[in-house]
Amino acid sequence: MPRPEELNIDIVDKREELLSDLRSLTIGLDSVLEKTIPVGVAFHHAGLTTEERDLVAAAYDEGVLKVIVATCSLAAGINLPARRVILHGARMGADLVGPSMLRQMRGRAGRKGKDEIGETYLCCQKSDLEAVAELMEADIPSVESCLVPGKRGIKRANGATLKETTLAEINLARIYKRFYTALQLRDLSNEMPISQVARKYDLPRGIIQNLAQTCHGFAAGMVRFCGTMGWGALAAVLGHYEERLKAGAKSDLLALAEITYVKSRTARIFWENGFKTVAAVAAADVKDLLPVLIMAQPKKPRLDAESEEKYIRKLKAKVEIILKSAGRIWERQVREEIEDEE
């Protein structure tokens, strides 16, 4: 891999742009990515937020990044082929991967329309060599539902280390896990940023983000179900919880949090700096909101003049989106008020 000083200036600029994009996210720039991206290397796994994964994947697909170290998150569901795939072992935990998963991971090699060939290297222990050779030639098993009689059924994965051997231990572990999850959701709906919740509970921030999105979707479904059943009071309670979880904010910020990019801690900082309504935000301009948005960003390291300029440019673009979003919401609210009066 060429040294940074040997790179094309366009690639260097695009990597700096990627760093600026990541730095402008509400969670800030990961300290490891800050060191690896300038040399064209990044990582991709479920512990990253959706926004981080999207930016890294797009940069790799465009050739800005040359190497991605990834978990099986890149093996399925993401169209991100590579010229060369190196598999560090054929096991997931203690067990060998199945033929389907191996085929998926091998299938990343080769870019249709870009490369004539694709290469896959599988590194394994000598003791696994015979089993891996058989695995490489194994047929892909047919797909079967886990819901048919005789199958194990659906089982929710959980990374807890609680002892679960007896029925009593299983029931107790279930209570602990639910309580632990409830604490995370409480913090998220009380304006604690995802990155801070992740540090507090020692979990990857992508896991926390996924928890919030999953529970928000479940709550929305339950609201519709309660409405269908005629349970108006319960629907109202769940609807309020759904809104708070989506906004990552307390009740007084729900209207403000409808604005794009104005969620959780950002919404609170807008509120504390005088922008307490959608109308107030819509009536502002870039120079009014930019200092407030800067205050809402995570602490960042000292940047050189060029990087600082790119960082501010990204935030200005966000402010413009915020203003447009607030304007649309305000216009809708005015129309609704006029219709109500009529």
Side-chain angles (χ1 to χ4, degrees), residues 29-311:
L29 173 60
D30 182 89
S31 59
V32 177
L33 288 176
E34 185 176 18
K35 297 175 182 177
T36 62
I37 285 176
V39 294
V41 179
F43 53 83
H44 188 290
H45 55 71
L48 297 177
T49 63
T50 303
E51 295 80 9
E52 288 175 306
R53 293 199 301 270
D54 288 346
L55 286 170
V56 168
Y60 180 76
D61 195 43
E62 294 168 4
V64 177
L65 297 174
K66 300 300 182 183
V67 177
I68 285 190
V69 181
T71 59
C72 58
S73 62
L74 278 183
I78 299 178
N79 182 24
L80 197 66
R83 171 66 183 271
R84 183 175 295 109
V85 173
I86 301 174
L87 305 177
H88 183 60
R91 291 183 178 273
M92 293 182 67
D95 301 323
L96 286 171
V97 299
S100 299
M101 177 59 75
L102 182 60
R103 180 73 62 88
Q104 279 283 82
M105 292 189 288
R106 291 168 60 191
R108 300 299 94 192
R111 289 169 172 255
K112 186 176 181 180
K114 295 184 179 181
D115 292 317
E116 295 181 359
I117 61 172
E119 303 171 345
T120 301
Y121 296 87
L122 198 161
C123 308
C124 67
Q125 298 289 334
K126 190 174 182 179
S127 57
D128 288 336
L129 191 57
E130 185 176 344
V132 168
E134 294 178 0
L135 185 63
M136 297 282 284
E137 302 298 329
D139 294 330
I140 303 299
S142 58
V143 177
E144 296 182 1
S145 172
C146 288
L147 302 180
V148 298
K151 295 294 181 179
R152 294 170 57 192
I154 297 175
K155 182 178 180 181
R156 184 180 297 276
N158 198 303
T161 57
L162 294 170
K163 190 175 181 181
E164 300 179 61
T165 53
T166 67
L167 180 60
E169 289 172 346
I170 292 173
N171 289 333
L172 183 61
R174 184 182 296 115
I175 294 172
Y176 283 141
K177 292 173 186 177
R178 288 179 176 175
F179 179 67
Y180 197 64
T181 300
L183 292 177
Q184 297 167 38
L185 293 172
R186 179 203 61 181
D187 288 340
L188 287 169
S189 60
N190 283 335
E191 303 170 22
M192 185 179 289
I194 287 176
S195 55
Q196 190 174 337
V197 175
R199 288 194 298 271
K200 179 177 179 179
Y201 295 96
D202 194 24
L203 290 169
R205 51 190 178 275
I207 299 298
I208 299 296
Q209 184 188 52
N210 184 63
L211 171 66
Q213 292 172 343
T214 300
C215 291
H216 168 257
F218 180 75
M222 288 303 298
V223 169
R224 290 191 292 271
F225 174 75
C226 291
T228 302
M229 297 299 294
W231 301 337
L234 184 56
V237 171
L238 288 173
H240 181 71
Y241 169 73
E242 176 204 353
E243 291 175 356
R244 285 192 57 190
L245 193 56
K246 180 181 179 181
K250 296 179 181 178
S251 301
D252 57 341
L253 298 181
L254 291 181
L256 202 60
E258 287 188 53
I259 303 171
T260 303
Y261 292 137
V262 182
K263 302 288 186 290
S264 189
R265 179 171 177 268
T266 303
R268 179 59 63 188
I269 290 177
F270 270 54
W271 176 281
E272 291 174 348
N273 283 272
F275 298 98
K276 298 184 177 183
T277 64
V278 173
V281 176
D285 55 31
V286 174
K287 66 178 178 59
D288 296 326
L289 293 186
L290 181 59
V292 182
L293 189 60
I294 290 175
M295 291 172 59
Q297 301 306 300
K299 291 183 179 179
K300 66 181 191 304
R302 188 182 300 276
L303 302 173
D304 58 53
E306 185 178 355
S307 297
E308 182 74 21
E309 183 181 351
K310 290 180 179 179
Y311 177 69

